[in-house]
Amino acid sequence: MKVRAAHEGDLDTILAIRNHAIEHGTALWTDTPQTRDEGAAWLGAHLGRGSAYVAEDTGDGTVVGFGVYGPWKDYSGFRHTVENSVYVAEGHHGRGIGSALLGTLVASASATGLHVMIAGIEAGNGASVRLHERHGFEHAGTVREVGTKFGRWLDLTLMRRQLD
């Protein structure tokens, strides 16, 4: 497996991974799968910033995960803070893919002079919390019942890592 910069040709695979997470999990707090046009706009913004990466299986070239970072908030005072997202394709968990992607995101954001990276994680997702801890993120707090999906309230754990 290798991590490389994403490109427009990765859209369909990234969109499939995102939509699977939307339809089957609580990592993305929306009930509506992304259309191809919405996905293209979302990916295009990340490509324009140089903040999108994919994990590619070196055996067959299949994209098995992706990671991005982007603005945490739109206000200028937050311009040095970004939020990350890392997703691994179903059936490929536990192979170090998420770790390789997150490491690349941290290195990339650091190289561009950003100051802090935030992770917003559904509080019950212990695997994601542990992944972020292994990469130097610290628990910044948990906000109770701020989201809902599948008929239940969800808590949001915020984690942060200083980059510089």
Side-chain angles (χ1 to χ4, degrees), residues 66-146:
F66 72 90
V68 298
Y69 63 86
W72 186 47
K73 302 264 186 201
D74 288 332
Y75 300 111
S76 63
F78 295 106
R79 67 187 169 278
H80 302 289
T81 302
V82 291
E83 182 175 12
N84 78 69
S85 297
V86 173
Y87 293 90
V88 176
E90 188 65 27
H92 294 276
H93 295 93
R95 296 176 26 201
I97 296 166
S99 185
L101 285 163
L102 184 55
T104 299
L105 296 179
V106 167
S108 174
S110 294
T112 63
L114 292 164
H115 184 63
V116 169
M117 183 174 278
I118 300 290
I121 304 168
E122 193 275 315
N125 188 343
S128 186
V129 169
R130 288 187 300 277
L131 169 67
H132 283 80
E133 287 172 342
R134 286 193 306 271
H135 283 269
F137 285 75
E138 60 190 17
H139 185 93
T142 298
V143 187
R144 304 282 177 213
E145 296 186 2
V146 294

Side-chain angles (χ1 to χ4, degrees), residues 11 14-15 18 34-45:
L11 173 61
I14 291 172
L15 190 59
R18 272 181 67 88
Q34 252 187 345
T35 66
R36 193 166 198 286
D37 287 345
E38 291 166 339
W42 173 87
L43 181 59

Side-chain angles (χ1 to χ4, degrees), residues 8-85:
E8 289 178 2
D10 296 317
L11 173 61
D12 290 330
T13 304
I14 291 172
L15 190 59
I17 295 168
R18 272 181 67 88
N19 282 338
H20 185 273
I22 289 169
E23 293 169 5
H24 300 284
T26 55
L28 282 162
W29 294 7
T30 181
D31 301 316
T32 308
Q34 252 187 345
T35 66
R36 193 166 198 286
D37 287 345
E38 291 166 339
W42 173 87
L43 181 59
H46 287 291
L47 294 177
R49 283 190 295 274
S51 62
Y53 296 87
V54 295
E56 187 176 87
D57 185 315
T58 53
D60 63 6
T62 303
V63 170
V64 294
F66 72 90
V68 298
Y69 63 86
W72 186 47
K73 302 264 186 201
D74 288 332
Y75 300 111
S76 63
F78 295 106
R79 67 187 169 278
H80 302 289
T81 302
V82 291
E83 182 175 12
N84 78 69
S85 297

